[in-house]
Amino acid sequence: MKELPSSSKAVVIGGGVVGCSVAYHLAKFGWKDTILLERDQLTSGTTWHAAGLVSQLGPSAAITKIRKYSLELYKKLEKEIDFSSGLKLNGALSIATTKGRWQELMRQATTAQLFNVNVEVLNIDQIKKIYPIINDKDILGGIFMPGDGQADPVGVTNLLAKAARNEGVQVFQNSPVQKILTKNGRVHGVKLKNHTIECEYVVLATGMWSRQIGEDMGISIPLYPAEHFYVITEPLKDLPKNIPVLRDFDDSLYLKEDAGKMLIGIFEGKSIPAFDKTNRVPEDFSFGEFSENFEHFEPYLNASLKRVPILEKAGIRKFFVGPESFTPDTNTLLGEVPEVKNLFACCGLNSIGIGSGGGVGKVTAEWMMNGHTNEDLFIYDIKRFENFHSKTNFIKERVTETLGDLYGMHWPYKQHKTSRNQKLLPYHEELKKEGACFGAVAGYERPMWFAKNGIKPNYEYSYNYQNWYPSAQYETINTRENVGLFDLTPFSKFDLKGSLAFSELQRLCTANIKNEKGKTTYTQMLNNDGGIEADLTVVCLDKDYFRIVSSAAVRVRDKHHILKNLDTKVEFKDATEDYACLGLFGPKSRSLMTAIAGDFFKTSDFPFATGKEITIDNIKVWSQRLSYVGELGWELYIPTDKAKKIYKKIVSNGKKYNLCNAGVHAMDILRMEKGYLHWGHDISPEENQYEANLNFAVSFKKGINFIGMDALIKKKKEKVKKKLITLSLKNSKPGFPLLLHDEPIYLDGKIIGRTTSGNYSFVYKKNFAFGYVTTEENLEKKNIEIEVEKKKYEAIIELKPLHDSDNKIMKK
């Protein structure tokens, strides 16, 4: 056995498909001094028992790119190094037996056109032609992806390992890592039994062991293994050899031909957490299986016999039950962990590791080398989660649901049912009495909408009219006409203090920050390539004392970006949970504020975009005149333990001003009416401020070279590659069609872009969307369309925001 080196640039821990892919790409892109350490043998974790399905279409553009790249990489490497990965691309057929599922498949087929993924919409006769052994009972239709199929998991892993070795990677099997070494909050090396390797970077490609490795280090990696089931039949003489993979989502089934046999796998609605007694995966669990649980599998087996009747004649050759790890939202975990510099996660593949392995390895390698990603990958970024997400009581309960989410309906606005009530607002019970329907946002139970007239505050999911529309209609119109009370507590809040705080913020932010008490500034933070890393407001609480406020979901990510670039002499505090925040917005907000706090709210005393300390019932409250909904209004930052009292006072005084409680859905509709953007939907590291019409938040004159400035100056000189626009449909009504995101935008029958956000405005009676288009043509008076569920709808360009385009209402 070759000797372990004493140092290297990067160490990849884990020899499954993902670890081998990361190691290959690091070396391919120039880091030849890369080592891969596998505690046992390659594939011995979960890779060896994967079903090996390969599919190109993902839930977003970046994920589709990852999957498409994976497939192309396997094909390319097979030729380059003359080694088979067992690729068998007979296509994949997905069927629908319910109206909602059929709509979902049609939306997938529509989105696929944006990414040049070939998807064919099939009727019953066409399905039977492609899959002659199917029972077509209850089938409404299907979609067929000819370029999809399956691969041999062990073959793919060995292909990548061989390619990695060819690029200079040293691969060591039977080399378990005992500890990841850190110094001053950064990776320093790895310790094996009788050996230490110093290194600059470590990648955790450790699959289902990742959570406990993180836990032992004091870092959060939220995934947990569940029991995953499939059976392989005896050989079937009537089984066609080249039939596609079949996915029957409504019965939680997938079926694939496997050397004359059939593999029947399931993603059931309620799964079984693995290793239930210890909550830990044994270190020596290699090529391991669990005992059979036929009772759990039987209903799905019966469903498969009904769908493919020739299976009734088949015996079962192999009943497999093994562990497969899942994350809280069924999306992968990538990127630098927030707690340790240069420690990267590449795990939590949620049973689609073979189909995504090539691409996640590439993205991880690029992320490590550049220090950031220029892709819109927040959906995969490990920093979308907080520490509580990896606690065993949370994650074990959640994976009982998320395994089934893979094949469950992906309804718009869907909420998880498990592991709820992690963080309650101080006035949670009061909101509940008001009829709040809660949704989990960054762990907080936040009101999404308020049920009225005896209606139960529960979602009834649909791809058309939403059952919460009457509430959103009332809440949005009342906010525009009277006053709405919005909870903003989950907003991320970071306090920065010290003599360097101002100059550091000037370097981090694109806008010209003001070091004057009460002044607020809307700004972005960029990466070195000019991509938008964060979207936020900076308020000066006092000289050299600032608060950054950004959206709830990006708390960990924004904090990581700030601390990574901030001088350590600046005092930094995450104040998110120290303050509740209430938004009072609408034309009567001034009168209501005056009634509860005194006559301090005239524009002459309290101009737009300023803040000051006020007192309500002897409680000091920081109040700032800003509004994400585009109305006259104030945000109130209240010490958490005093917030319930203030909430009650506002509600009781608000009756005479027709105050209404309003939820997240109403806020989203209102911010779109005003033309305000949402990071993660409308802007991301893939966009720059010129593309997103945010160049008003850029100051080249402030005399400080802010992060990304040089790249932005170059982009300013170049032609804009894409541009954010607002579109509305000529003929529509609420939910018909339901505009969401990633719907293709057409000009004269040709795709020129995609939507990023969609909503229905009850105030302006318009179905409308934001989206990026790539065209130099003037789009006015042109034939523009948006496609939803394979049907095109005529659209018009809205040249100005629907609401208060000249900011008169907000500033009056």
Side-chain angles (χ1 to χ4, degrees), residues 301-541:
L301 181 61
N302 290 337
S304 73
L305 303 184
K306 285 178 187 166
R307 185 57 65 207
V308 182
I310 68 162
L311 294 174
E312 290 173 9
K313 304 172 193 168
I316 292 176
R317 172 172 284 194
K318 170 73 179 169
F319 190 116
F320 176 80
V321 191
E324 186 84 53
S325 62
F326 291 84
T327 63
D329 61 0
T330 331
N331 284 317
T332 298
L333 305 174
L334 301 182
E336 191 175 23
V337 304
E339 299 91 345
V340 179
K341 281 185 181 172
N342 295 351
L343 178 59
F344 280 75
C346 190
C347 51
L349 273 288
N350 300 282
S351 207
I352 48 173
I354 307 305
S356 302
V360 295
K362 172 180 180 276
V363 164
T364 300
E366 289 171 338
W367 206 328
M368 291 167 71
M369 290 172 152
N370 297 332
H372 61 266
T373 175
N374 290 323
E375 305 268 352
D376 179 8
L377 275 172
F378 184 61
I379 190 174
Y380 271 10
D381 191 339
I382 191 168
K383 292 177 285 296
R384 69 190 183 275
F385 291 120
E386 297 184 26
N387 287 342
F388 72 84
H389 285 109
S390 63
K391 301 292 184 216
T392 46
N393 58 352
F394 176 94
I395 191 67
K396 272 181 73 177
E397 184 189 342
R398 176 55 63 83
V399 298
T400 64
E401 183 178 8
T402 53
L403 178 145
D405 280 346
L406 271 175
Y407 277 27
M409 283 295 301
H410 301 98
W411 293 113
Y413 315 109
K414 185 178 176 183
Q415 293 289 327
H416 282 112
K417 293 177 179 172
T418 52
S419 302
R420 294 290 295 269
N421 296 328
Q422 299 297 312
K423 301 179 191 177
L424 299 184
L425 297 167
Y427 28 79
H428 177 84
E429 291 303 319
E430 283 71 20
L431 294 169
K432 203 170 170 182
K433 283 173 195 159
E434 292 287 338
C437 176
F438 292 99
V441 180
Y444 282 94
E445 293 296 326
R446 196 174 180 188
M448 305 302 287
W449 51 281
F450 288 84
K452 298 288 175 197
N453 308 321
I455 293 166
K456 285 188 176 174
N458 298 321
Y459 280 100
E460 292 167 15
Y461 295 120
S462 165
Y463 273 108
N464 292 116
Y465 186 88
Q466 302 296 305
N467 74 308
W468 46 264
Y469 273 171
S471 294
Q473 180 171 5
Y474 168 66
E475 292 166 25
T476 54
I477 291 172
N478 195 69
T479 298
R480 293 275 183 241
E481 292 180 352
N482 298 299
V483 59
L485 176 60
F486 294 79
D487 179 76
L488 311 175
T489 300
F491 275 7
S492 306
K493 312 169 199 77
F494 308 124
D495 288 0
L496 282 71
K497 258 187 195 176
S499 58
L500 291 177
F502 173 60
S503 59
E504 283 293 278
L505 278 170
Q506 288 284 58
R507 195 174 56 80
L508 280 161
C509 301
T510 62
N512 190 11
I513 307 304
K514 296 152 196 83
N515 193 7
E516 186 183 334
K517 186 174 180 178
K519 292 291 172 98
T520 71
T521 311
Y522 172 63
T523 184
Q524 284 78 46
M525 292 179 180
L526 309 181
N527 60 42
N528 286 325
D529 295 320
I532 300 170
E533 287 287 331
D535 181 62
L536 46 100
T537 299
V538 178
V539 57
C540 181
L541 299 173

Side-chain angles (χ1 to χ4, degrees), residues 14-21 24 36 38 41-50 74 77 81 83-86 151-165 171 173 353-354 357:
V17 64
V18 167
C20 291
S21 176
Y24 163 73
L36 185 144
E38 162 55 44
Q41 295 173 53
L42 297 185
T43 80
S44 63
T46 53
T47 297
W48 71 274
H49 65 67
Y74 305 156
L77 289 180
I81 60 178
F83 187 93
S84 172
S85 66
D152 168 30
V154 176
V156 169
T157 307
N158 284 316
L159 174 76
L160 289 164
K162 195 171 179 185
R165 288 187 184 103
V171 177
Q173 300 185 80
I354 307 305

Side-chain angles (χ1 to χ4, degrees), residues 274-285:
F275 308 108
D276 203 25
K277 287 181 180 158
T278 61
N279 298 332
R280 286 179 78 88
V281 185
E283 299 299 326
D284 59 353
F285 191 86

Side-chain angles (χ1 to χ4, degrees), residues 181-189 200-201 339-343:
L181 306 173
T182 61
K183 192 185 277 185
N184 301 325
R186 137 188 328 263
V187 160
H188 177 58
E200 293 176 49
Y201 291 83
E339 299 91 345
V340 179
K341 281 185 181 172
N342 295 351
L343 178 59

Side-chain angles (χ1 to χ4, degrees), residues 465-466 468-478 480-481 665-666 669-670 673 733-735 759-768 802:
Y465 186 88
Q466 302 296 305
W468 46 264
Y469 273 171
S471 294
Q473 180 171 5
Y474 168 66
E475 292 166 25
T476 54
I477 291 172
N478 195 69
R480 293 275 183 241
E481 292 180 352
H665 290 310
I669 293 167
L670 294 165
E673 289 174 354
K733 53 186 180 177
N759 254 315
Y760 185 83
S761 166
F762 297 97
V763 173
Y764 295 94
K765 296 184 172 53
K766 286 187 177 186
N767 228 329
F768 71 125
L802 299 182

